[in-house]
Amino acid sequence: MAAQTFALQVLVALLVVGVGTVAAYAQAQRAGTREATARATAVAETVASTPTVVAAVPDGDRARVLPDFADVVQRETDTDFVVIMSPTGIRYSHPDRSQIGGQFLGHIAAAQAGGTVVEDYTGTLGPSRRVVVPVVGSDRHTVIGLVAVGIRKTAVSERLRSQLPALLLAGLAAALLCGLGTALVARRIRRQTHGLGERQLQEMVEYYDAVLHAVTEGLLLTDLDGRLRLANDEAVRLLGLPDDARGRPVSELGLSAPLLAALTDTEPRADELHVTSARVLVLNKARAQWDGRALGFVATVRDRTDLEHLTGELDSARGLTEALRSQAHESANRLHAIVSLIELGHPDRALAFATDELQLSQRLTDRFVGAVAEPTLTALLLGKAAQASERGIDFRIADDAVWPQDVAPVRDVVTIVGNLIDNAFDAVTAESGERRVEVSSRIEDGHVVLSVADSGPGLPPDAVDEAFRRGFSTKAQGSAGRRGIGLALVAQSVARLDGLLEVSGPPGARFTVRLPLEAKTHA
């Protein structure tokens, strides 16, 4: 590409210099003609006004005075001829004495009328640039003679040709300067393109662009000033970037504060979870370098929304499985107790024991089924109740609790309720006194209001705003890196359903969610 650019610029430079030289030659030719005209006019007017000429023309003393006078003027002014003539054009002087007395060859009508004739004409001495002016008498009105002064065209061309070497030398110098500048530009291009040819650059752009659009991960490249230099289609989709994002500071792209901090600081990131208004993203970030020189930072983002929801549901299912296993163990113990009572001859006490256990389980099931119309939520609450029993937590459902069916998508219901209850369980597990978690729900002003309260330590006053950001947790980081994401998922689901989420306490912590009854239509 540099070679082609060099050749093209040299060709353009030569063309410009050539055209400039021709134009300069033409201009010099016109200037030479103008200079010859001006000089001939000045000489002619000077001769016509000379007293010797004015006196000699009318008194007949022409043959002796005027030819010699004209020859002197011709030599001193470097003109080719000075012809003094009568008003009718009869020559009184001429460089060729044999032409004296003959008729002047050329146009003299304008001069006979008192004007000036300027023309190119071929006379006895060849083509010339000539000027004819009148000689006026003492009354300043009568034309008593004519004076013609001429410069041959060959003389003008000879003077122009003498200037031609200088013009050519200037053109050659300009061409050399253009060539040197072009060589420097070509060298810079080769350095900036790392010596790659145009075909290699074309293939690189085509393949890189195809790869960037084909990868399923979002890819972003930011420079050292925090400006977005590159973002592929997947990154634009996952982050909701505007069409004019390229070249703008990352701080102007409307990203969440944690994600903005991750993209603009200088720290590397590895498999870091970020929750946006609609997605759970995994971010990786590293420095971008070329030949030891830092260019900026490259970041990749992957969509993990579905996986996080499935993981949450799997955690709930795992907790329910553990609770069922515990219940099976307890049921086996109770069954052994009943069998032993019967074998010991106490069938009445065995019947009473079995009846009490059955009524307790049935009352708990009836309460959940009667209060909650959503079967999935009922199953979730029953599993959480079993899990609470296993962990020694007093899990309560308010007597007036109500949850209509189809308030929100089942997936969001499981996310919101399950994570809030799990968070409450974790908050009271370490307590040495009362460990209580209470769930209530009601319908109020066209909204379903869900409240999950616990008897734990509550949130610190300065941590309420941080509670629903990615990474906030009072527990140790899990092996899968999921600590601190449960409340963030709750906030994400509530926002998507056009709901509100509030936190109050201490003492304890109370999370209140308000969802519109038509929330499912917005999901």
Side-chain angles (χ1 to χ4, degrees):
M1 187 174 67
Q4 292 182 2
T5 302
F6 177 78
L8 178 61
Q9 290 189 349
V10 167
L11 180 62
V12 172
L14 291 177
L15 180 61
V16 170
V17 170
V19 172
T21 302
V22 173
Y25 182 84
Q27 184 177 6
Q29 189 175 31
R30 288 193 297 269
T33 301
R34 286 195 299 269
E35 189 272 337
T37 301
R39 185 152 55 92
T41 301
V43 173
E45 291 177 347
T46 302
V47 172
S49 61
T50 301
T52 301
V53 176
V54 175
V57 169
D59 67 2
D61 192 11
R62 306 176 183 92
R64 183 174 58 85
V65 178
L66 296 181
D68 294 337
F69 177 78
D71 290 343
V72 172
V73 172
Q74 176 184 332
R75 287 193 303 271
E76 293 181 352
T77 59
D78 195 23
T79 55
D80 290 311
F81 65 85
V82 176
V83 176
I84 303 172
M85 66 191 89
S86 68
T88 59
I90 301 302
R91 301 188 191 99
Y92 295 152
S93 68
H94 195 279
D96 183 3
R97 291 291 192 272
S98 64
Q99 299 294 330
I100 296 176
Q103 181 67 38
F104 179 77
L105 300 180
H107 301 89
I108 59 175
Q112 290 173 331
T116 301
V117 176
V118 179
E119 65 176 349
D120 291 329
Y121 197 85
T122 302
T124 58
L125 299 177
S128 64
R129 183 73 167 179
R130 58 179 60 184
V131 177
V132 183
V133 299
V135 180
V136 297
S138 58
D139 60 359
R140 302 294 182 184
H141 298 292
T142 304
V143 177
I144 61 176
L146 302 174
V147 176
V149 176
I151 299 175
R152 290 178 298 171
K153 302 291 288 185
T154 55
V156 176
S157 300
E158 287 172 359
R159 295 189 61 182
L160 185 60
R161 282 194 294 271
S162 66
Q163 299 176 2
L164 188 58
L167 291 175
L168 294 177
L169 183 61
L172 180 60
L176 290 176
L177 288 177
C178 290
L180 178 61
T182 302
L184 294 176
V185 171
R187 181 181 177 184
R188 178 177 176 82
I189 291 176
R190 283 193 296 270
R191 185 169 63 251
Q192 290 182 333
T193 58
H194 305 288
L196 297 176
E198 64 168 328
R199 188 170 188 84
Q200 293 171 300
L201 289 174
Q202 179 183 358
E203 291 179 351
M204 180 184 298
V205 171
E206 290 176 350
Y207 287 132
Y208 284 11
D209 187 70
V211 170
L212 288 175
H213 287 79
V215 294
T216 57
E217 291 187 358
L219 179 65
L220 302 100
L221 180 64
T222 58
D223 61 17
L224 298 176
D225 295 327
R227 293 183 176 272
L228 181 65
R229 292 303 180 186
L230 184 146
N232 66 350
D233 295 345
E234 185 66 6
V236 172
R237 184 184 71 85
L238 293 178
L239 300 178
L241 300 179
D243 295 336
D244 60 344
R246 185 174 181 179
R248 293 174 55 186
V250 178
S251 58
E252 298 179 1
L253 302 181
L255 303 177
S256 62
L259 189 57
L260 176 61
L263 290 176
T264 54
D265 63 19
T266 59
E267 298 298 324
R269 310 277 176 157
D271 292 335
E272 190 174 85
L273 291 179
H274 286 269
V275 179
T276 66
S277 59
R279 303 181 188 280
V280 178
L281 303 177
V282 179
L283 172 71
N284 286 274
K285 176 185 170 185
R287 290 181 177 273
Q289 295 182 337
W290 171 265
D291 197 20
R293 178 170 59 92
L295 300 178
F297 300 90
V298 60
T300 60
V301 288
R302 300 193 308 273
D303 191 357
R304 191 171 163 175
T305 306
D306 293 337
L307 179 59
E308 284 301 323
H309 282 290
L310 291 175
T311 304
E313 294 176 8
L314 179 60
D315 288 344
S316 298
R318 184 181 293 112
L320 180 59
T321 301
E322 293 296 330
L324 291 176
R325 184 181 296 112
S326 176
Q327 282 187 332
H329 181 72
E330 290 297 320
S331 297
N333 290 335
R334 295 187 183 99
L335 183 59
H336 291 158
I338 293 172
V339 171
S340 298
L341 286 173
I342 294 174
E343 290 178 347
L344 293 174
H346 301 286
D348 294 336
R349 297 185 64 179
L351 179 60
F353 179 76
T355 302
D356 289 341
E357 289 296 323
L358 181 60
Q359 289 177 348
L360 179 62
S361 300
Q362 188 62 42
R363 282 197 302 269
L364 182 61
T365 302
D366 291 342
R367 179 184 300 178
F368 287 171
V369 172
V372 180
E374 176 60 59
T376 304
L377 182 57
T378 301
L380 176 64
L381 293 176
L382 286 172
K384 295 300 180 184
Q387 188 177 356
S389 177
E390 171 70 14
R391 298 171 65 175
I393 297 172
D394 182 10
F395 183 59
R396 303 175 184 178
I397 302 293
D399 294 336
D400 58 349
V402 59
W403 186 279
Q405 192 172 8
D406 294 336
V407 170
V410 174
R411 186 176 187 176
D412 290 314
V413 172
V414 172
T415 297
I416 295 172
V417 178
N419 279 292
L420 288 180
I421 295 177
D422 286 341
N423 185 73
F425 283 176
D426 292 334
V428 301
T429 297
E431 293 296 303
S432 58
E434 181 185 19
R435 294 189 291 179
R436 173 179 48 82
V437 174
E438 183 175 354
V439 178
S440 64
S441 62
R442 65 185 184 276
I443 297 177
E444 181 180 282
D445 298 331
H447 290 74
V448 175
V449 182
L450 171 70
S451 179
V452 178
D454 63 70
S455 60
L459 291 174
D462 58 347
V464 174
D465 293 337
E466 298 290 329
F468 298 99
R469 292 188 181 180
R470 179 211 58 80
F472 178 86
S473 178
T474 59
K475 299 167 289 184
Q477 182 78 6
S479 59
R482 299 191 69 253
R483 290 300 188 193
I485 199 172
L487 291 180
L489 292 175
V490 171
Q492 182 189 87
S493 297
V494 172
R496 186 168 57 250
L497 297 172
D498 296 333
L500 295 175
L501 179 59
E502 299 175 352
V503 183
S504 60
R510 179 178 294 272
F511 293 82
T512 302
V513 176
R514 297 175 60 90
L515 298 178
L517 288 175
E518 65 275 11
K520 189 169 184 178
T521 62
H522 295 287

